[in-house]
Coordinates of all heavy atoms in Angstrom, one line a residue:
M214 N -13.3 -14.4 -4.6 CA -12.1 -14.0 -5.4 C -10.8 -14.4 -4.7 O -9.7 -14.2 -5.3 CB -12.1 -12.5 -5.7 CG -12.5 -12.1 -7.0 SD -11.1 -12.0 -8.2 CE -10.1 -10.6 -7.7
R215 N -10.9 -14.8 -3.5 CA -9.7 -15.1 -2.7 C -9.0 -16.4 -3.1 O -9.7 -17.4 -3.1 CB -10.0 -15.0 -1.2 CG -8.8 -15.2 -0.4 CD -9.3 -14.9 1.1 NE -9.6 -13.5 1.3 CZ -9.5 -12.9 2.5 NH1 -9.2 -13.7 3.5 NH2 -9.8 -11.7 2.6
A216 N -7.7 -16.3 -3.4 CA -7.0 -17.6 -3.7 C -6.9 -18.4 -2.4 O -6.9 -17.8 -1.3 CB -5.6 -17.3 -4.2
N217 N -6.8 -19.7 -2.5 CA -6.6 -20.5 -1.3 C -5.3 -20.1 -0.6 O -4.3 -20.3 -1.2 CB -6.6 -22.0 -1.7 CG -7.9 -22.5 -2.1 OD1 -8.9 -21.9 -1.7 ND2 -7.9 -23.6 -2.8
P218 N -5.4 -19.6 0.6 CA -4.2 -19.2 1.3 C -3.5 -20.5 1.7 O -4.2 -21.4 2.3 CB -4.6 -18.4 2.4 CG -6.1 -18.6 2.6 CD -6.6 -19.4 1.4
S219 N -2.2 -20.6 1.5 CA -1.6 -21.8 2.0 C -1.4 -21.7 3.5 O -1.2 -20.7 4.0 CB -0.2 -22.0 1.3 OG 0.4 -20.8 1.2
P220 N -1.5 -22.9 4.2 CA -1.4 -22.8 5.6 C -0.1 -22.2 6.1 O 1.0 -22.5 5.5 CB -1.5 -24.3 6.1 CG -1.8 -25.1 4.8 CD -1.5 -24.2 3.6
G221 N -0.1 -21.3 7.0 CA 1.1 -20.7 7.5 C 1.5 -19.5 6.8 O 2.4 -18.8 7.2
A222 N 0.8 -19.2 5.6 CA 1.2 -18.1 4.9 C 0.2 -16.9 5.1 O -0.3 -16.4 4.1 CB 1.3 -18.4 3.4
S223 N -0.1 -16.7 6.3 CA -1.0 -15.6 6.6 C -0.4 -14.2 6.4 O 0.6 -13.9 7.1 CB -1.6 -15.8 8.0 OG -2.2 -14.6 8.4
L224 N -0.9 -13.4 5.5 CA -0.3 -12.1 5.3 C -1.4 -11.1 5.4 O -2.0 -10.7 4.4 CB 0.3 -12.1 3.9 CG 1.6 -12.9 3.7 CD1 1.9 -12.9 2.2 CD2 2.7 -12.2 4.4
P225 N -1.7 -10.7 6.6 CA -2.9 -9.8 6.8 C -2.7 -8.5 6.0 O -3.7 -8.1 5.5 CB -2.9 -9.5 8.3 CG -1.6 -10.0 8.9 CD -1.0 -11.0 7.9
G226 N -1.6 -8.0 5.9 CA -1.4 -6.7 5.1 C -1.8 -6.9 3.7 O -2.5 -6.1 3.1
R227 N -1.4 -8.0 3.1 CA -1.8 -8.3 1.7 C -3.3 -8.4 1.6 O -3.9 -7.9 0.7 CB -1.1 -9.6 1.2 CG -1.5 -9.9 -0.2 CD -1.0 -11.3 -0.6 NE -1.6 -12.3 0.3 CZ -1.2 -13.6 0.3 NH1 -0.2 -14.0 -0.5 NH2 -1.8 -14.4 1.1
D228 N -4.0 -9.1 2.5 CA -5.4 -9.3 2.4 C -6.1 -8.0 2.6 O -7.1 -7.7 1.8 CB -5.9 -10.2 3.6 CG -5.4 -11.7 3.3 OD1 -4.9 -12.0 2.2 OD2 -5.5 -12.5 4.3
I229 N -5.6 -7.1 3.5 CA -6.3 -5.8 3.7 C -6.1 -5.0 2.4 O -7.0 -4.3 2.0 CB -5.7 -5.1 4.9 CG1 -6.0 -6.0 6.2 CG2 -6.3 -3.7 5.1 CD1 -5.2 -5.6 7.4
F230 N -4.9 -5.0 1.9 CA -4.6 -4.3 0.6 C -5.6 -4.7 -0.5 O -6.2 -3.8 -1.1 CB -3.2 -4.6 0.2 CG -2.6 -3.9 -1.0 CD1 -1.9 -2.7 -0.8 CD2 -2.8 -4.4 -2.3 CE1 -1.4 -2.0 -2.0 CE2 -2.3 -3.8 -3.4 CZ -1.6 -2.6 -3.2
L231 N -5.7 -6.0 -0.7 CA -6.6 -6.4 -1.8 C -8.1 -6.1 -1.5 O -8.8 -5.7 -2.4 CB -6.4 -7.9 -2.0 CG -5.0 -8.3 -2.5 CD1 -4.8 -9.9 -2.5 CD2 -4.7 -7.8 -3.9
R232 N -8.5 -6.3 -0.2 CA -9.8 -6.0 0.2 C -10.3 -4.6 0.0 O -11.4 -4.3 -0.2 CB -10.0 -6.5 1.6 CG -11.4 -7.0 1.9 CD -11.6 -7.2 3.4 NE -10.5 -8.0 4.1 CZ -10.0 -7.6 5.2 NH1 -10.3 -6.5 5.8 NH2 -9.0 -8.3 5.8
N233 N -9.3 -3.7 0.1 CA -9.7 -2.2 0.0 C -9.5 -1.6 -1.4 O -9.6 -0.4 -1.5 CB -8.9 -1.5 1.1 CG -9.5 -1.7 2.5 OD1 -10.6 -1.2 2.8 ND2 -8.8 -2.5 3.3
G234 N -9.2 -2.5 -2.3 CA -9.2 -2.0 -3.7 C -7.9 -1.3 -4.1 O -7.9 -0.6 -5.2
C235 N -6.9 -1.4 -3.3 CA -5.6 -0.8 -3.7 C -5.1 -1.3 -5.0 O -4.5 -0.6 -5.8 CB -4.6 -1.1 -2.6 SG -5.1 -0.8 -0.9
G236 N -5.4 -2.6 -5.2 CA -5.0 -3.2 -6.5 C -5.6 -2.7 -7.7 O -5.2 -3.0 -8.8
A237 N -6.7 -1.9 -7.6 CA -7.3 -1.3 -8.8 C -6.3 -0.3 -9.4 O -6.4 0.0 -10.6 CB -8.6 -0.6 -8.4
C238 N -5.4 0.2 -8.6 CA -4.5 1.3 -9.1 C -3.1 0.9 -9.0 O -2.2 1.5 -9.6 CB -4.7 2.6 -8.3 SG -6.3 3.4 -8.6
H239 N -2.7 -0.1 -8.2 CA -1.3 -0.5 -8.0 C -1.1 -1.9 -8.4 O -2.0 -2.8 -8.2 CB -0.9 -0.4 -6.5 CG -0.9 1.0 -6.0 ND1 0.1 1.9 -6.3 CD2 -1.8 1.7 -5.2 CE1 -0.2 3.1 -5.7 NE2 -1.3 3.0 -5.1
R240 N 0.1 -2.2 -8.9 CA 0.5 -3.6 -9.2 C 1.4 -4.1 -8.1 O 2.3 -3.3 -7.6 CB 1.2 -3.6 -10.5 CG 1.7 -5.0 -10.9 CD 2.3 -5.0 -12.3 NE 2.8 -6.4 -12.4 CZ 4.0 -6.7 -12.0 NH1 4.8 -5.8 -11.5 NH2 4.5 -8.0 -12.2
V241 N 1.2 -5.3 -7.6 CA 2.1 -5.9 -6.7 C 2.4 -7.3 -7.2 O 1.5 -8.1 -7.3 CB 1.6 -6.0 -5.2 CG1 2.6 -6.7 -4.3 CG2 1.3 -4.6 -4.6
A242 N 3.6 -7.6 -7.6 CA 3.9 -8.9 -8.3 C 3.5 -10.0 -7.3 O 3.7 -9.9 -6.1 CB 5.4 -8.9 -8.6
G243 N 2.9 -11.1 -7.9 CA 2.6 -12.3 -7.1 C 1.2 -12.2 -6.5 O 0.9 -13.1 -5.7
T244 N 0.5 -11.1 -6.7 CA -0.9 -11.0 -6.2 C -1.8 -10.7 -7.3 O -1.4 -10.5 -8.5 CB -1.0 -9.8 -5.1 OG1 -0.9 -8.6 -5.9 CG2 0.1 -9.8 -4.1
Q245 N -3.1 -10.6 -7.0 CA -4.1 -10.2 -8.0 C -4.1 -8.7 -8.3 O -4.8 -8.2 -9.1 CB -5.5 -10.5 -7.6 CG -5.8 -11.9 -7.3 CD -5.9 -12.1 -5.8 OE1 -5.0 -11.8 -5.0 NE2 -7.1 -12.6 -5.3
A246 N -3.2 -7.9 -7.6 CA -3.2 -6.5 -7.8 C -2.4 -6.2 -9.1 O -1.2 -6.5 -9.3 CB -2.5 -5.8 -6.7
E247 N -3.2 -5.7 -10.1 CA -2.6 -5.4 -11.4 C -2.9 -4.0 -11.9 O -2.9 -3.8 -13.1 CB -3.2 -6.4 -12.4 CG -2.9 -7.9 -12.2 CD -1.5 -8.2 -12.6 OE1 -0.8 -7.4 -13.2 OE2 -1.0 -9.3 -12.3
G248 N -3.2 -3.1 -11.0 CA -3.5 -1.8 -11.5 C -2.4 -1.0 -12.1 O -1.2 -1.2 -11.7
G249 N -2.7 -0.1 -13.0 CA -1.6 0.6 -13.6 C -1.7 2.2 -13.4 O -1.1 2.9 -14.1
V250 N -2.6 2.6 -12.5 CA -2.8 4.0 -12.3 C -1.7 4.6 -11.4 O -1.1 5.6 -11.7 CB -4.2 4.3 -11.6 CG1 -4.3 5.8 -11.4 CG2 -5.3 3.8 -12.5
G251 N -1.4 3.9 -10.3 CA -0.3 4.4 -9.4 C 0.9 3.6 -9.6 O 1.0 2.7 -10.5
P252 N 2.0 3.9 -8.9 CA 3.2 3.2 -9.1 C 3.1 1.7 -8.7 O 2.3 1.3 -7.9 CB 4.2 3.9 -8.1 CG 3.4 4.8 -7.3 CD 2.1 5.0 -7.9
D253 N 4.0 0.9 -9.3 CA 4.1 -0.5 -9.0 C 4.8 -0.6 -7.6 O 5.8 0.0 -7.4 CB 5.1 -1.1 -10.0 CG 5.2 -2.6 -9.9 OD1 5.1 -3.2 -8.8 OD2 5.4 -3.3 -10.9
L254 N 4.1 -1.3 -6.7 CA 4.6 -1.4 -5.3 C 5.3 -2.7 -5.0 O 5.5 -3.0 -3.9 CB 3.4 -1.2 -4.3 CG 2.6 0.1 -4.5 CD1 1.4 0.1 -3.5 CD2 3.5 1.3 -4.2
S255 N 5.7 -3.4 -6.1 CA 6.3 -4.7 -5.9 C 7.6 -4.7 -5.1 O 7.9 -5.7 -4.5 CB 6.5 -5.4 -7.2 OG 5.4 -5.5 -8.0
H256 N 8.3 -3.7 -5.2 CA 9.7 -3.7 -4.6 C 9.9 -2.5 -3.7 O 10.9 -1.8 -3.8 CB 10.7 -3.7 -5.7 CG 10.5 -4.7 -6.7 ND1 10.7 -6.1 -6.5 CD2 10.0 -4.7 -8.0 CE1 10.4 -6.8 -7.6 NE2 9.9 -6.0 -8.5
M257 N 9.0 -2.3 -2.8 CA 9.1 -1.1 -1.9 C 10.3 -1.1 -1.1 O 10.9 0.0 -0.9 CB 7.9 -1.1 -1.0 CG 6.6 -0.7 -1.6 SD 6.4 1.1 -1.8 CE 6.2 1.6 -0.1
S258 N 10.8 -2.2 -0.6 CA 11.9 -2.2 0.3 C 13.2 -1.8 -0.3 O 14.1 -1.3 0.3 CB 12.0 -3.5 1.1 OG 12.6 -4.5 0.2
S259 N 13.3 -2.0 -1.6 CA 14.5 -1.7 -2.3 C 14.5 -0.3 -2.8 O 15.5 0.2 -3.4 CB 14.8 -2.7 -3.4 OG 13.7 -2.9 -4.2
R260 N 13.4 0.5 -2.6 CA 13.4 1.9 -3.0 C 13.7 2.8 -1.9 O 13.3 2.5 -0.8 CB 12.0 2.2 -3.5 CG 11.4 1.1 -4.5 CD 10.9 1.8 -5.7 NE 10.2 3.0 -5.5 CZ 8.9 3.1 -5.5 NH1 8.1 2.1 -5.8 NH2 8.3 4.3 -5.3
G261 N 14.4 3.9 -2.2 CA 14.8 4.8 -1.1 C 13.7 5.7 -0.7 O 13.6 6.1 0.5
T262 N 12.8 6.1 -1.6 CA 11.8 7.1 -1.3 C 10.5 6.7 -1.9 O 10.4 5.9 -2.8 CB 12.2 8.5 -1.9 OG1 12.3 8.4 -3.3 CG2 13.5 9.0 -1.3
I263 N 9.4 7.4 -1.4 CA 8.1 7.3 -2.0 C 7.5 8.7 -2.3 O 8.1 9.7 -1.9 CB 7.1 6.5 -1.1 CG1 6.9 7.2 0.2 CG2 7.6 5.1 -0.9 CD1 5.7 6.7 1.0
G264 N 6.3 8.7 -2.9 CA 5.7 10.0 -3.1 C 6.5 10.9 -4.0 O 6.7 12.1 -3.8
A265 N 7.1 10.3 -5.1 CA 7.9 11.0 -6.0 C 9.1 11.7 -5.3 O 9.4 12.8 -5.5 CB 7.1 12.0 -6.8
G266 N 9.7 11.0 -4.3 CA 10.9 11.4 -3.7 C 10.7 12.3 -2.5 O 11.7 12.8 -1.9
V267 N 9.5 12.5 -2.0 CA 9.3 13.4 -0.9 C 9.5 12.8 0.5 O 9.7 13.5 1.4 CB 8.0 14.2 -0.9 CG1 7.9 15.1 -2.2 CG2 6.8 13.3 -0.9
L268 N 9.4 11.4 0.5 CA 9.4 10.8 1.8 C 10.4 9.6 1.8 O 10.5 8.9 0.8 CB 8.1 10.2 2.2 CG 7.0 11.2 2.6 CD1 5.7 10.4 2.9 CD2 7.4 11.9 3.9
P269 N 11.0 9.3 2.9 CA 11.8 8.1 3.0 C 10.9 6.9 3.0 O 9.7 7.0 3.4 CB 12.6 8.2 4.3 CG 11.7 9.1 5.1 CD 11.0 10.0 4.2
T270 N 11.4 5.7 2.7 CA 10.5 4.5 2.7 C 10.5 3.9 4.1 O 10.9 2.7 4.3 CB 11.1 3.4 1.8 OG1 11.5 4.0 0.6 CG2 10.0 2.4 1.4
D271 N 10.2 4.7 5.1 CA 10.1 4.1 6.5 C 8.6 3.8 6.8 O 7.7 4.3 6.1 CB 10.9 4.8 7.5 CG 10.3 6.2 7.8 OD1 9.1 6.4 7.6 OD2 11.1 7.1 8.2
D272 N 8.4 3.1 7.9 CA 7.1 2.7 8.2 C 6.1 3.8 8.4 O 5.0 3.8 7.9 CB 7.2 1.9 9.5 CG 6.3 0.6 9.5 OD1 6.5 -0.1 8.5 OD2 5.5 0.4 10.4
E273 N 6.6 4.8 9.1 CA 5.7 5.9 9.4 C 5.3 6.7 8.2 O 4.2 7.1 8.0 CB 6.4 6.8 10.4 CG 5.4 7.8 11.0 CD 6.0 8.8 12.0 OE1 7.0 8.4 12.6 OE2 5.4 9.9 12.2
A274 N 6.3 6.9 7.3 CA 6.0 7.6 6.1 C 5.0 6.9 5.2 O 4.1 7.5 4.6 CB 7.4 7.9 5.3
V275 N 5.2 5.6 5.1 CA 4.3 4.8 4.3 C 2.9 4.9 4.9 O 1.9 5.1 4.2 CB 4.8 3.3 4.1 CG1 3.7 2.5 3.4 CG2 6.1 3.3 3.4
R276 N 2.8 4.8 6.2 CA 1.5 4.9 6.8 C 0.8 6.2 6.6 O -0.4 6.3 6.3 CB 1.6 4.6 8.4 CG 1.8 3.2 8.7 CD 1.4 2.9 10.1 NE 2.0 3.9 11.1 CZ 3.1 3.7 11.8 NH1 3.8 2.6 11.6 NH2 3.6 4.6 12.6
S277 N 1.6 7.3 6.7 CA 1.0 8.6 6.6 C 0.6 8.8 5.1 O -0.4 9.5 4.8 CB 1.8 9.7 7.2 OG 3.0 9.8 6.6
F278 N 1.4 8.3 4.2 CA 1.0 8.5 2.8 C -0.3 7.8 2.5 O -1.2 8.3 1.8 CB 2.1 7.9 1.8 CG 1.9 8.3 0.4 CD1 2.5 9.4 -0.1 CD2 1.0 7.6 -0.4 CE1 2.2 9.9 -1.4 CE2 0.7 8.0 -1.7 CZ 1.4 9.2 -2.2
I279 N -0.5 6.6 3.0 CA -1.7 5.8 2.7 C -2.9 6.6 3.3 O -4.0 6.7 2.7 CB -1.6 4.4 3.3 CG1 -0.6 3.6 2.6 CG2 -3.0 3.7 3.2 CD1 -0.2 2.3 3.3
A280 N -2.8 7.1 4.5 CA -3.9 7.8 5.2 C -4.2 9.2 4.5 O -5.3 9.5 4.3 CB -3.6 8.0 6.6
H281 N -3.1 9.9 4.1 CA -3.3 11.3 3.6 C -2.4 11.6 2.4 O -1.6 12.5 2.5 CB -2.9 12.3 4.6 CG -3.4 12.1 6.0 ND1 -4.7 12.4 6.4 CD2 -2.8 11.6 7.1 CE1 -4.9 12.1 7.7 NE2 -3.8 11.7 8.1
P282 N -2.6 10.9 1.3 CA -1.7 11.2 0.2 C -1.8 12.7 -0.2 O -0.7 13.2 -0.7 CB -2.2 10.3 -1.0 CG -3.4 9.7 -0.5 CD -3.5 9.8 1.0
H283 N -2.9 13.3 0.0 CA -3.0 14.7 -0.5 C -2.2 15.7 0.4 O -1.8 16.7 -0.1 CB -4.5 15.1 -0.5 CG -5.3 14.3 -1.5 ND1 -5.6 14.8 -2.7 CD2 -5.7 13.1 -1.4 CE1 -6.2 13.8 -3.4 NE2 -6.3 12.8 -2.6
L284 N -2.0 15.4 1.6 CA -1.2 16.2 2.5 C 0.2 16.2 2.0 O 1.0 17.1 2.1 CB -1.3 15.8 4.0 CG -2.7 16.1 4.6 CD1 -2.6 15.7 6.1 CD2 -3.0 17.6 4.5
I285 N 0.6 15.0 1.6 CA 2.0 14.8 1.2 C 2.3 15.2 -0.2 O 3.3 15.8 -0.5 CB 2.4 13.3 1.5 CG1 2.4 13.1 3.0 CG2 3.7 13.0 0.9 CD1 2.1 11.7 3.5
K286 N 1.4 14.9 -1.1 CA 1.5 15.2 -2.5 C 0.3 15.9 -3.0 O -0.6 15.2 -3.5 CB 1.8 13.9 -3.2 CG 2.2 14.3 -4.7 CD 2.7 13.1 -5.5 CE 3.0 13.6 -6.9 NZ 2.8 12.6 -7.9
P287 N 0.2 17.2 -2.9 CA -1.0 17.9 -3.3 C -1.3 17.6 -4.8 O -0.4 17.4 -5.6 CB -0.6 19.4 -3.2 CG 0.5 19.4 -2.2 CD 1.2 18.1 -2.3
G288 N -2.6 17.3 -5.0 CA -3.0 17.0 -6.4 C -2.9 15.5 -6.7 O -3.1 15.0 -7.8
S289 N -2.5 14.7 -5.6 CA -2.4 13.2 -5.8 C -3.6 12.6 -6.4 O -4.7 13.0 -6.0 CB -2.0 12.6 -4.5 OG -2.0 11.2 -4.7
K290 N -3.5 11.6 -7.2 CA -4.6 10.9 -7.8 C -5.1 9.8 -6.8 O -6.1 9.1 -7.1 CB -4.3 10.3 -9.1 CG -4.0 11.3 -10.2 CD -4.2 10.6 -11.6 CE -3.3 11.3 -12.7 NZ -2.0 10.7 -12.7
M291 N -4.3 9.6 -5.8 CA -4.7 8.6 -4.8 C -5.7 9.1 -3.8 O -5.4 10.1 -3.2 CB -3.5 8.0 -4.1 CG -3.8 7.0 -3.1 SD -2.4 6.0 -2.7 CE -2.8 5.5 -1.1
P292 N -6.8 8.4 -3.6 CA -7.8 8.9 -2.6 C -7.2 8.7 -1.1 O -6.4 7.8 -0.9 CB -9.0 8.0 -2.7 CG -8.6 6.8 -3.6 CD -7.3 7.2 -4.3
D293 N -7.7 9.5 -0.2 CA -7.3 9.3 1.2 C -7.9 8.0 1.7 O -9.0 7.7 1.4 CB -7.9 10.4 2.1 CG -7.1 11.7 2.0 OD1 -6.2 11.8 1.1 OD2 -7.4 12.6 2.8
F294 N -7.1 7.3 2.5 CA -7.6 6.1 3.1 C -7.6 6.2 4.6 O -7.5 5.2 5.4 CB -6.8 4.8 2.7 CG -7.2 4.3 1.3 CD1 -6.6 4.8 0.2 CD2 -8.2 3.4 1.2 CE1 -6.9 4.4 -1.1 CE2 -8.6 3.0 -0.1 CZ -8.0 3.5 -1.2
N295 N -7.8 7.4 5.1 CA -7.9 7.8 6.5 C -9.0 7.1 7.2 O -8.9 7.0 8.5 CB -8.1 9.3 6.6 CG -7.6 9.8 7.9 OD1 -6.8 9.2 8.5 ND2 -8.0 11.0 8.2
M296 N -10.0 6.6 6.5 CA -11.1 5.9 7.2 C -10.7 4.5 7.6 O -11.5 3.9 8.4 CB -12.3 5.9 6.3 CG -12.3 5.0 5.1 SD -11.0 5.5 3.9 CE -11.5 4.5 2.4
L297 N -9.6 4.0 7.1 CA -9.3 2.6 7.6 C -8.7 2.7 9.0 O -8.1 3.7 9.4 CB -8.1 2.1 6.7 CG -8.4 1.8 5.2 CD1 -7.2 1.2 4.5 CD2 -9.6 0.8 5.1
P298 N -9.0 1.6 9.8 CA -8.4 1.6 11.1 C -6.9 1.7 11.1 O -6.3 1.1 10.1 CB -8.9 0.2 11.6 CG -9.9 -0.3 10.7 CD -9.8 0.4 9.4
Q299 N -6.3 2.4 12.0 CA -4.9 2.5 12.1 C -4.2 1.2 12.0 O -3.1 1.1 11.4 CB -4.5 3.2 13.5 CG -4.8 4.6 13.5 CD -4.0 5.4 12.5 OE1 -2.8 5.2 12.3 NE2 -4.7 6.3 11.8
Q300 N -4.8 0.2 12.6 CA -4.2 -1.1 12.6 C -4.1 -1.7 11.2 O -3.1 -2.3 10.9 CB -5.0 -2.1 13.5 CG -4.5 -3.5 13.7 CD -3.1 -3.5 14.3 OE1 -2.7 -2.6 15.1 NE2 -2.2 -4.5 13.9
D301 N -5.1 -1.5 10.4 CA -5.1 -2.0 9.0 C -4.0 -1.3 8.2 O -3.3 -1.9 7.4 CB -6.5 -1.8 8.4 CG -7.5 -2.7 8.9 OD1 -7.2 -3.5 9.9 OD2 -8.6 -2.8 8.3
I302 N -3.9 0.0 8.4 CA -2.9 0.8 7.7 C -1.5 0.3 8.1 O -0.6 0.1 7.2 CB -3.1 2.3 7.9 CG1 -4.4 2.8 7.3 CG2 -1.9 3.1 7.4 CD1 -4.7 4.2 7.5
A303 N -1.3 0.1 9.4 CA 0.0 -0.4 9.8 C 0.3 -1.8 9.2 O 1.4 -2.1 8.8 CB 0.0 -0.5 11.4
E304 N -0.7 -2.7 9.1 CA -0.5 -4.0 8.5 C -0.1 -3.9 7.1 O 0.8 -4.5 6.6 CB -1.7 -4.9 8.6 CG -2.2 -5.3 10.0 CD -1.3 -6.4 10.5 OE1 -0.4 -6.8 9.9 OE2 -1.6 -6.9 11.7
I305 N -0.8 -3.0 6.3 CA -0.4 -2.8 4.9 C 1.0 -2.3 4.8 O 1.8 -2.7 4.0 CB -1.4 -1.8 4.2 CG1 -2.8 -2.4 4.2 CG2 -1.0 -1.5 2.8 CD1 -3.9 -1.3 3.7
A306 N 1.3 -1.2 5.6 CA 2.6 -0.6 5.5 C 3.7 -1.6 5.8 O 4.7 -1.7 5.1 CB 2.7 0.6 6.5
S307 N 3.5 -2.5 6.8 CA 4.6 -3.4 7.1 C 4.7 -4.5 6.1 O 5.8 -4.9 5.7 CB 4.5 -3.9 8.5 OG 3.5 -4.9 8.6
W308 N 3.6 -4.9 5.5 CA 3.7 -5.8 4.4 C 4.4 -5.2 3.1 O 5.3 -5.8 2.6 CB 2.3 -6.3 4.0 CG 2.2 -7.1 2.7 CD1 2.7 -8.4 2.6 CD2 1.6 -6.8 1.5 NE1 2.5 -8.8 1.3 CE2 1.8 -7.9 0.6 CE3 0.9 -5.7 1.0 CZ2 1.3 -7.8 -0.7 CZ3 0.4 -5.6 -0.3 CH2 0.6 -6.7 -1.1
L309 N 4.0 -4.0 2.8 CA 4.6 -3.4 1.6 C 6.1 -3.2 1.8 O 6.9 -3.4 0.9 CB 3.9 -2.0 1.3 CG 2.6 -2.0 0.7 CD1 2.0 -0.5 0.6 CD2 2.6 -2.6 -0.7
K310 N 6.4 -2.7 3.0 CA 7.8 -2.5 3.3 C 8.7 -3.7 3.2 O 9.9 -3.6 3.0 CB 7.9 -1.8 4.7 CG 7.7 -0.3 4.6 CD 8.5 0.3 5.8 CE 9.8 -0.3 5.9 NZ 10.5 -0.5 7.1
G311 N 8.1 -4.8 3.4 CA 8.8 -6.1 3.3 C 9.0 -6.6 1.9 O 9.7 -7.6 1.7
L312 N 8.4 -6.0 0.9 CA 8.5 -6.5 -0.4 C 9.8 -6.2 -1.1 O 10.2 -5.0 -1.1 CB 7.3 -6.0 -1.3 CG 5.9 -6.3 -0.8 CD1 4.9 -5.5 -1.6 CD2 5.6 -7.8 -0.9
E313 N 10.5 -7.2 -1.6 CA 11.8 -6.9 -2.1 C 11.8 -7.0 -3.6 O 11.1 -7.7 -4.2 CB 12.8 -7.9 -1.6 CG 12.9 -7.7 -0.1 CD 14.0 -8.7 0.6 OE1 14.5 -9.5 -0.2 OE2 14.2 -8.5 1.7
Ligands
HEC120 C1 -7.5 5.6 -7.5 C2 -6.2 5.0 -7.6 C3 -5.5 4.6 -6.3 C4 -6.0 3.8 -5.3 C5 -7.3 3.2 -5.1 C6 -4.8 3.6 -4.4 N1 -3.7 4.3 -4.8 FE1 -1.9 4.4 -3.9 N2 -1.3 5.7 -5.4 C7 -2.0 6.1 -6.5 C8 -1.2 7.1 -7.2 C9 -1.6 7.8 -8.5 C10 0.0 7.2 -6.5 C11 1.2 8.1 -6.9 C12 1.2 9.3 -6.2 C13 0.4 10.3 -7.0 O1 0.9 10.8 -8.0 O2 -0.7 10.6 -6.6 C14 -0.1 6.3 -5.4 C15 1.0 6.2 -4.5 C16 1.0 5.3 -3.4 C17 2.1 5.0 -2.5 C18 3.4 5.7 -2.6 C19 4.3 4.9 -3.6 C20 5.4 5.7 -4.2 O3 6.3 5.1 -4.6 O4 5.4 6.9 -4.2 C21 1.7 4.0 -1.7 C22 2.6 3.4 -0.6 C23 0.4 3.7 -2.0 N3 -0.1 4.4 -3.1 C24 -0.4 2.7 -1.3 C25 -1.7 2.5 -1.6 C26 -2.6 1.6 -0.7 C27 -2.1 0.8 0.4 C28 -3.8 1.7 -1.2 C29 -5.1 1.0 -0.7 C30 -5.4 1.3 0.7 C31 -3.8 2.6 -2.4 N4 -2.5 3.0 -2.6 C32 -4.9 2.9 -3.2 C33 -3.3 5.7 -6.8 C34 -4.1 4.9 -6.0

């Protein structure tokens, strides 16, 4: 299902995001992620907050939201992704944060 990556356009965060099924619930413009359950993550860097306004859009907040959405937003429909390696979560967070 992977599109041919163009040489030099290695985006590990995007690959990890797609590989872990985040796109089943989230849309990110320009990728195969077309989910409509969670918020559209196409323009994370231009948003001031995440988690319905509870956290700033900084790297650490995005990482902790991905690992433990329930701690940050009780009743969240997003499953915990705490089982992912820290490095993978960090790659996703830095990719998402760079989306304008
Ligand atoms: C089963 C559906 C589902 C999956 C799978 C899912 N999410 Fe979410 N996500 C949500 C929902 C719903 C929210 C909104 C918060 C809430 O109400 O629970 C959310 C919120 C977020 C937010 C905060 C966005 C904001 O503006 O508040 C980020 C970042 C995020 N998800 C990243 C991810 C990543 C990365 C993955 C894959 C590792 C992922 N999500 C997988 C449903 C999902």
Side-chain angles (χ1 to χ4, degrees):
M214 251 274 291
R215 184 171 288 203
N217 286 338
S219 41
S223 165
L224 289 168
R227 180 190 59 191
D228 292 347
I229 297 163
F230 183 94
L231 295 172
R232 212 187 310 131
N233 285 288
C235 312
C238 292
H239 292 285
R240 179 174 173 275
V241 178
T244 73
Q245 302 104 302
E247 293 285 352
V250 179
D253 186 328
L254 302 176
S255 304
H256 308 287
M257 287 277 290
S258 73
S259 47
R260 310 229 324 252
T262 59
I263 62 166
V267 296
L268 287 178
T270 320
D271 64 28
D272 223 51
E273 191 180 338
V275 175
R276 289 201 308 266
S277 59
F278 192 93
I279 294 168
H281 313 281
H283 297 261
L284 290 182
I285 291 155
K286 188 172 177 209
S289 176
K290 292 200 209 85
M291 176 160 154
D293 282 9
F294 281 91
N295 203 19
M296 71 294 196
L297 294 182
Q299 286 297 317
Q300 182 60 31
D301 285 9
I302 292 178
E304 293 283 4
I305 295 172
S307 74
W308 172 66
L309 283 176
K310 274 205 47 213
L312 298 172
E313 293 184 355

